[in-house]
């Protein structure tokens, strides 16, 4: 059975993006914890990163914790100078596996079903950084950009639906965990 490892994007001294009175690190920790609680209801435990670790420490912590085929989920929020930018997207490694692509599409659906604009599943090369450390481990890697922290409508939608989002993501992770 696949292990599930969930990281709250950013952490430690790296707060990530901020907007509308929110800090990305805090939102990511909150959603990760909600997902983990929902997984526990389903009888599944997930490994989580330390809330004090920045990306470099999290990537070091991951060593030896997973095998090929385990699911690694990283949670983030998008931000833009234009407060009208909105929606959800999921990032996969360049040359993503069929499993990663299917998992990413499902993670995106877990968000868009609540009304977020579908910004698609994208390879890491289409991100601002072009290469993401989270995509390096030899596992099934996906990074979700829940919505735009800089968009007040996105943030209201997230706050109104965060528990439902966590339930859907947990149920989808449980389903994909059992797939060969």
């Amino acid at each position: 059975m696949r292990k599930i490892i969930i990281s709250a994007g950013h952490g430690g001294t790296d707060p990530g993006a901020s907007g509308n009175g929110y800090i990305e690190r805090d939102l990511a920790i909150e959603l990760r914890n909600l997902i983990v609680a929902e997984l526990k209801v389903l009888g599944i435990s997930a490994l989580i990163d330390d809330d004090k670790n920045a990306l470099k420490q999290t990537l070091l912590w991951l060593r030896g914790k997973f095998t090929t085929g385990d699911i690694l989920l990283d949670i983030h929020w998008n931000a833009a100078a234009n407060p009208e930018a909105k929606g959800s997207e999921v990032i996969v490694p360049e040359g993503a596996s069929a499993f990663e692509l299917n998992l990413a599409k499902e993670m995106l659906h877990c968000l868009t079903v609540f009304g977020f604009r579908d910004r698609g599943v994208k390879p890491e090369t289409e991100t601002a950084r072009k290469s993401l450390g989270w995509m390096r481990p030899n596992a099934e890697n996906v990074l979700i950009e829940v919505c735009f922290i800089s968009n007040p409508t996105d943030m209201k939608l997230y706050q109104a639906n965060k528990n439902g989002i966590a339930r859907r993501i947990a149920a989808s992770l449980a389903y994909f965990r059992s797939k060969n």
Side-chain angles (χ1 to χ4, degrees):
M1 193 70 60
R2 298 171 190 270
K3 283 188 275 185
I4 298 172
I5 301 170
I6 305 174
S7 174
H10 301 283
T13 57
D14 180 6
S18 62
N20 294 297
Y22 298 100
I23 297 171
E24 180 179 13
R25 170 193 59 217
D26 300 340
L27 291 168
I29 290 169
E30 175 188 49
L31 182 56
R32 182 209 55 211
N33 291 345
L34 289 169
I35 294 167
V36 168
E38 292 295 335
L39 285 167
K40 283 182 183 174
V41 169
L42 299 172
I44 299 169
S45 61
L47 293 172
I48 62 170
D49 57 336
D50 188 319
D51 296 341
K52 296 177 182 95
N53 287 350
L55 177 62
K56 184 176 181 177
Q57 289 84 21
T58 297
L59 292 174
L60 288 171
W61 168 82
L62 274 174
R63 290 186 183 166
K65 302 243 182 333
F66 65 91
T67 59
T68 302
D70 287 341
I71 297 170
L72 276 59
L73 173 66
D74 197 16
I75 302 168
H76 288 267
W77 264 253
N78 242 327
N82 177 359
E84 298 300 312
K86 62 183 178 180
S88 305
E89 62 191 16
V90 179
I91 311 302
V92 295
E94 185 66 24
S97 70
F99 185 95
E100 285 168 321
L101 290 171
N102 288 329
L103 176 60
K105 289 175 191 172
E106 179 59 27
M107 291 295 103
L108 185 58
H109 179 71
C110 289
L111 298 165
T112 59
V113 71
F114 289 97
F116 294 104
R117 179 175 161 243
D118 183 337
R119 295 175 56 87
V121 171
K122 300 176 180 174
E124 65 182 309
T125 53
E126 290 184 24
T127 67
R129 288 186 169 67
K130 306 293 183 211
S131 179
L132 303 172
W134 188 257
M135 301 298 157
R136 301 291 70 82
N138 188 18
E140 305 293 357
N141 305 299
V142 294
L143 182 153
I144 61 173
E145 295 279 5
V146 175
C147 64
F148 277 80
I149 199 170
S150 51
N151 182 294
T153 304
D154 265 11
M155 289 310 300
K156 285 178 188 168
L157 190 58
Y158 169 72
Q159 289 298 335
N161 294 289
K162 62 187 171 188
N163 292 310
I165 290 167
R167 270 190 299 281
R168 287 192 78 104
I169 289 174
S172 294
L173 287 171
Y175 170 76
F176 275 86
R177 177 179 176 256
S178 66
K179 290 185 69 120
N180 289 331

